[in-house]
Structure formats: structure tokens, C-alpha cells
Amino acid sequence: MLGMLLDQQIPLEKAFVGPYRLAERMGVQRLDAAQIADYDPAAFAELYATPLAIHRFPGSMAERTQKLARAIVDEYDGDAATIWTGAKDGKDLFKRLSALPGFGKMKAQIFIALLGKQFDVRPEGWREAAGAYGEEGSLRSVADIRDAASLAKVREFKKQMKADAKAAKP
């Protein structure tokens, strides 16, 4: 979840190694939502900012990480997996994810696709809830990356999406 949260305005490899780097800096083997949520905010921001910074925007992403951790503690007893294991169906999973700090519609859909395609977490209606990211054989997001070739295709898709968005601006 934290990798998904960090996956914005930085290369996805850096985003998804971020949780590992954070655990190293915290001196733990496994990240714990309560420990993150309760960490002194200034000291936590320093963990993010220490070179090489975990994110391009270390202060704001450290704050978002703590907000996400607090939501997981308060709403899901500190167990992020409860978000998907407790979901009634794909719509409910989308609702749960999109209510989390830092998770808008697109991140929620991509995360649902990631859960379904890479981790076999497939509540009824998961593909529909994931939107285009849930399509079989798509190469749109981290959910579709399995090797260097699929990574290159996802990068090309993202590059084309940015070009299309830029061209659409008046």
C-alpha cells in the first residue's frame, strides 16, 4: 500500500522500494501502521528526507504516510490486509480504498488491479471496480508489470497518456 501511495511524480521503482528504505531507516524488519502513525512527525519527515530521499517531496509524503497509517490503525485495527479481506465485493473494496488518505479514484483502481492480477485477491466485481486497469492483458500500470518487457510497455503507455493530455490542453 505504501508503494502505491508513493507512486506519484517519481519513477515507480523508487516508489515501490520506498517501504523497504523506510523500514531500514526505522530499524525494523516489517513496517507497522501503529508505529508509523505514532512516530514523531518531525523525526518521521527526517527519515523521508535523509539522502537519498525516499520521495521527491519528502515532507508531504511523510505526512501522507502517517495519515494513511493512522487511517489503517483507526479503521482497520492496524491491519492493512483487512481492507481487502473484509471487502464484500469490488465496489466495496473501491469504496474502502478511495476513502484512504492519498488514494483517489485512479490509485484505488490501480491497487484493485494490482491485488487481482498479482496477488489473486479477486472479490466479485473486482475487474469492474478496477476499471480499465483491470482489463485482461492490459499494460497500463504497475498491476501489469511482470518483467522488463511489460515494464517497458507500461512506461510507453504512461508516456503516451502524458503526451495525449498535453496535446489536449488549449
Side-chain angles (χ1 to χ4, degrees):
M1 287 204 82
L2 181 52
M4 193 74 228
L5 178 73
L6 297 173
D7 188 16
Q8 62 185 60
Q9 299 183 352
I10 62 172
L12 64 91
E13 295 92 340
K14 184 170 180 165
F16 283 89
V17 81
Y20 173 77
R21 298 279 179 249
L22 180 60
E24 277 185 325
R25 292 174 187 188
M26 292 178 74
V28 298
Q29 291 291 315
R30 184 176 174 92
L31 293 173
D32 176 82
Q35 185 180 14
I36 291 170
D38 294 338
Y39 215 94
D40 174 72
F44 194 73
E46 189 61 34
L47 293 175
Y48 262 72
T50 300
L52 296 170
I54 291 174
H55 195 276
R56 179 178 173 193
F57 303 108
S60 63
M61 291 312 285
E63 182 180 343
R64 283 187 189 172
T65 298
Q66 286 194 288
K67 286 180 179 179
L68 175 61
R70 175 57 53 209
I72 291 168
V73 169
D74 292 349
E75 301 296 321
Y76 299 100
D77 290 329
D79 183 3
T82 304
I83 297 167
W84 50 91
T85 60
K88 294 180 282 191
D89 55 27
K91 283 183 180 181
D92 187 41
L93 179 54
F94 176 80
K95 180 181 173 187
R96 288 165 170 244
L97 288 168
S98 59
L100 294 171
F103 276 70
K105 178 182 179 183
M106 186 184 303
K107 272 195 196 284
Q109 288 180 317
I110 292 170
F111 197 73
I112 292 168
L114 179 66
L115 289 170
K117 291 178 175 183
Q118 302 276 349
F119 297 100
D120 294 323
V121 175
R122 299 175 175 163
E124 185 177 332
W126 75 271
R127 284 195 190 272
E128 294 79 8
Y133 300 102
E135 292 174 1
E136 184 76 39
S138 70
L139 291 163
R140 300 174 183 270
S141 74
V142 67
D144 304 309
I145 298 171
R146 300 206 182 270
D147 54 26
S150 57
L151 171 61
K153 288 179 181 178
V154 167
R155 284 203 189 288
E156 185 56 37
F157 176 80
K158 287 184 169 195
K159 183 178 176 182
Q160 187 60 51
M161 291 294 291
K162 286 180 182 178
D164 292 348
K166 187 176 182 179
K169 288 185 179 177

